[in-house]
């Protein structure tokens, strides 16, 4: 059976700053979607990571379905109304357009979708991140799909060792999608050369070379490229199938042990380590640290199991301690050097005005 998995997420308001949406907000989104259960959609799941609400839909209409995107938009509008009613911070923040126009891509929400031929058992993971941007998934995906240090299947499984096709987007190119397709193992170094630049090149999809089946779909939206100005970080979502001809669940999760440094943190303008956090987590220290959660599912005939929280295990407590230390270390140097992002990535324009003012005061 063919099933489409679509995850659409937005920040539409949260309690006490950019921390967490209210339960009432989430319930109003859920009520709106529930009305379409059994009609447009076969199943759905709603969760939050930090201040973002992610809706995972199962349906039969393929990626980019207008009615499905309209449903997500309407649900976010319902949630925004509740956020306004409760006086939440940033109500409707990610809904950049006044009205829906065919597809939520480009209107603010982040989207990742893939149509799959359901296997007999169809395990997959939904990653949702907060206080960072889409490039945050570059390194973990590279390591899970191209590095035997994390994916032992590349050595042990003949089908996995045939490699993967990476589809990489140049997100600086806003007029139209500018993409490149590269294959592992032969293009591995070229892939690394692109992916080192997390702000410009972002993985949008990965396919098995053995079967042609899609393994991964990731959101690539960068709101400031769309709106021309920063309205918040893009807090990306990612779907990844696992087991069988794809990396095992543990191989997909393995790179999150690193707590690699990503863009985000306070005011979306710093660098911080990506912390693997429990589902439904809130945000705390210094508007961060950047977090990612992983909900594991199986889907069968378009119906989801309940999610399992892949980072809710004592092992990940140890990693969270390590990542906290990394966060502390980089925060000790405040605004200096690599602790903050380049000018072009800062969420606030104030520093540019300061530099212009100071420019006039320089003398030679
Ligand atoms: C992402 C997020 C941040 C904020 C940033 C600035 O979820 O919350 O990227 O957009 O911290 O927000 P303000 O200016 O509202 O404090
Ligand atoms: Mg926010
Ligand atoms: Mg957010």
């Amino acid at each position: 059976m063919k099933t489409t998995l679509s995850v659409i997420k937005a920040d539409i308001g949260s309690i006490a700053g950019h921390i967490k949406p209210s339960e009432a907000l989430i319930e109003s989104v859920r009520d709106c979607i529930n009305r379409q259960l059994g009609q447009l959609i076969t199943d759905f799941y709603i969760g939050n990571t930090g201040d973002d609400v992610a809706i995972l839909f199962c349906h039969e209409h393929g990626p980019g379905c207008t009615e499905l995107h309209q449903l997500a938009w309407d649900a976010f509008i319902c949630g925004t109304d509740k956020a306004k009613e409760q006086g939440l911070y940033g109500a409707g923040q990610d809904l950049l357009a006044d009205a829906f126009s065919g597809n939520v891509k480009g209107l603010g929400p982040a989207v990742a979708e893939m149509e799959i031929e359901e296997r007999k058992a169809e395990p997959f993971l939904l990653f949702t991140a907060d206080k960072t941007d889409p490039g945050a998934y570059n390194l973990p995906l590279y390591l899970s799909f191209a590095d035997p240090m994390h994916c032992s299947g590349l050595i042990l499984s003949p089908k996995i060792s045939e490699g993967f096709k990476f589809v990489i987007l140049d997100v600086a190119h806003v007029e139209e999608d500018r993409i490149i397709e590269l294959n592992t193992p032969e293009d591995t170094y070229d892939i690394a050369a692109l992916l080192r630049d997390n702000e410009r090149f972002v993985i949008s999809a990965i396919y098995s070379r053995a079967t042609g089946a899609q393994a991964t779909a990731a959101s690539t939206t960068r709101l400031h490229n769309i709106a021309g100005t920063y309205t918040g970080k893009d807090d990306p979502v990612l779907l990844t199938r696992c087991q069988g001809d794809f990396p095992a669940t543990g191989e997909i999760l393995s790179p999150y042990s690193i707590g690699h440094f990503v863009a985000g943190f306070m005011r979306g303008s710093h660098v911080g380590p990506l912390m693997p956090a429990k589902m439904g987590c809130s945000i705390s220290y210094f508007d961060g640290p950047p977090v990612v959660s992983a909900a594991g599912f199986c889907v069968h005939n378009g119906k989801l199991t309940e999610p399992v929280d892949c980072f809710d295990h004592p092992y990940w407590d140890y990693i969270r301690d390590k990542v906290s230390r990394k966060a502390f270390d980089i925060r000790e140097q405040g605004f200096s050097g690599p602790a903050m992002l380049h000018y072009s990535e800062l969420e606030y324009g104030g520093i540019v005005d300061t530099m212009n003012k100071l420019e006039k005061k320089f003398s030679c």
Side-chain angles (χ1 to χ4, degrees):
M1 171 178 170
K2 273 203 161 91
T3 291
T4 309
L5 301 173
S6 300
V7 56
I8 305 184
K9 80 94 226 173
D11 176 350
I12 49 171
S14 50
I15 305 172
H18 295 278
I19 292 196
K20 196 173 182 168
S22 67
E23 281 172 24
L25 183 160
I26 292 179
E27 283 319 303
S28 64
V29 172
R30 190 189 309 283
D31 286 349
C32 186
I33 292 167
N34 244 329
R35 287 179 225 134
Q36 285 295 330
L37 189 58
Q39 297 179 53
L40 182 63
I41 56 175
T42 52
D43 210 350
F44 75 98
Y45 160 81
I46 299 181
N48 83 284
T49 297
D51 60 13
D52 296 293
V53 179
I55 314 168
L56 171 64
F57 298 98
C58 298
H59 59 102
E60 295 170 6
H61 310 290
C65 167
T66 300
E67 292 76 16
L68 193 277
H69 282 230
Q70 171 94 58
L71 174 61
W73 182 264
D74 292 347
F76 287 137
I77 295 285
C78 288
T80 298
D81 290 344
K82 181 55 75 178
K84 286 180 181 161
E85 192 186 309
Q86 293 189 299
L88 299 190
Y89 186 75
Q93 178 190 286
D94 281 358
L95 307 183
L96 299 183
D98 294 331
F100 177 73
S101 56
N103 190 308
V104 292
K105 237 183 193 168
L107 303 185
V111 187
E113 301 184 276
M114 61 176 157
E115 186 172 53
I116 60 171
E117 187 64 56
E118 275 186 17
R119 298 170 287 172
K120 209 158 67 187
E122 188 56 66
F124 73 95
L125 303 181
L126 164 64
F127 289 91
T128 48
D130 190 31
K131 306 298 179 269
T132 186
D133 59 18
Y137 294 126
N138 277 356
L139 182 63
L141 285 175
Y142 172 83
L143 295 175
S144 292
F145 284 86
D147 184 349
M149 293 287 283
H150 290 268
C151 181
S152 55
L154 291 167
I155 304 171
L156 299 173
S157 157
K159 278 203 169 163
I160 294 179
S161 62
E162 281 187 44
F164 294 91
K165 178 176 82 178
F166 282 64
V167 181
I168 298 170
L169 199 71
D170 175 357
V171 291
H173 205 261
V174 285
E175 299 80 33
E176 66 203 326
D177 282 355
R178 183 166 183 258
I179 59 166
I180 185 169
E181 296 185 353
L182 294 168
N183 292 313
T184 60
E186 62 268 35
D187 299 327
T188 303
Y189 296 162
D190 291 342
I191 293 171
L194 292 175
L195 296 187
R196 59 158 288 284
D197 187 348
N198 289 329
E199 311 317 317
R200 170 127 191 226
F201 299 107
V202 173
I203 296 169
S204 66
I206 300 175
Y207 294 82
S208 159
R209 290 181 79 186
T211 65
Q214 186 167 0
T216 288
S219 66
T220 53
T221 310
R222 302 211 61 213
L223 291 181
H224 85 288
N225 294 359
I226 297 169
T229 171
Y230 261 109
T231 57
K233 275 284 177 252
D234 292 293
D235 305 337
V237 289
L238 164 72
L239 291 165
T240 297
R241 299 165 81 188
C242 11
Q243 304 294 148
D245 303 335
F246 305 119
T249 306
E251 290 165 343
I252 299 288
L253 296 171
S254 173
Y256 295 91
S257 284
I258 297 170
H260 64 300
F261 288 104
V262 295
F265 228 152
M266 175 55 71
R267 298 183 186 275
S269 303
H270 291 78
V271 170
L274 187 65
M275 178 178 281
K278 293 183 192 176
M279 288 164 56
C281 69
S282 64
I283 294 296
S284 183
Y285 167 63
F286 203 61
D287 217 356
V291 291
V292 60
S293 59
F297 296 90
C298 278
V299 60
H300 189 60
N301 294 332
K303 290 274 177 205
L304 293 167
T305 58
E306 73 271 29
V308 287
D309 189 340
C310 298
F311 293 138
D312 184 7
H313 181 278
Y315 172 78
W316 295 103
D317 292 335
Y318 167 74
I319 296 299
R320 284 188 274 271
D321 284 349
K322 180 187 90 163
V323 175
S324 294
R325 280 197 295 277
K326 290 180 76 164
F328 181 81
D329 286 349
I330 195 152
R331 284 309 317 135
E332 276 196 311
Q333 71 176 67
F335 56 80
S336 179
M340 277 189 97
L341 293 175
H342 183 262
Y343 285 112
S344 59
E345 294 296 331
L346 299 179
E347 274 197 26
Y348 293 78
I351 194 161
V352 177
D353 299 339
T354 305
M355 294 311 288
N356 289 339
K357 182 185 77 190
L358 294 178
E359 195 57 37
K360 296 184 198 115
K361 293 191 176 181
F362 273 97
S363 59
C364 304

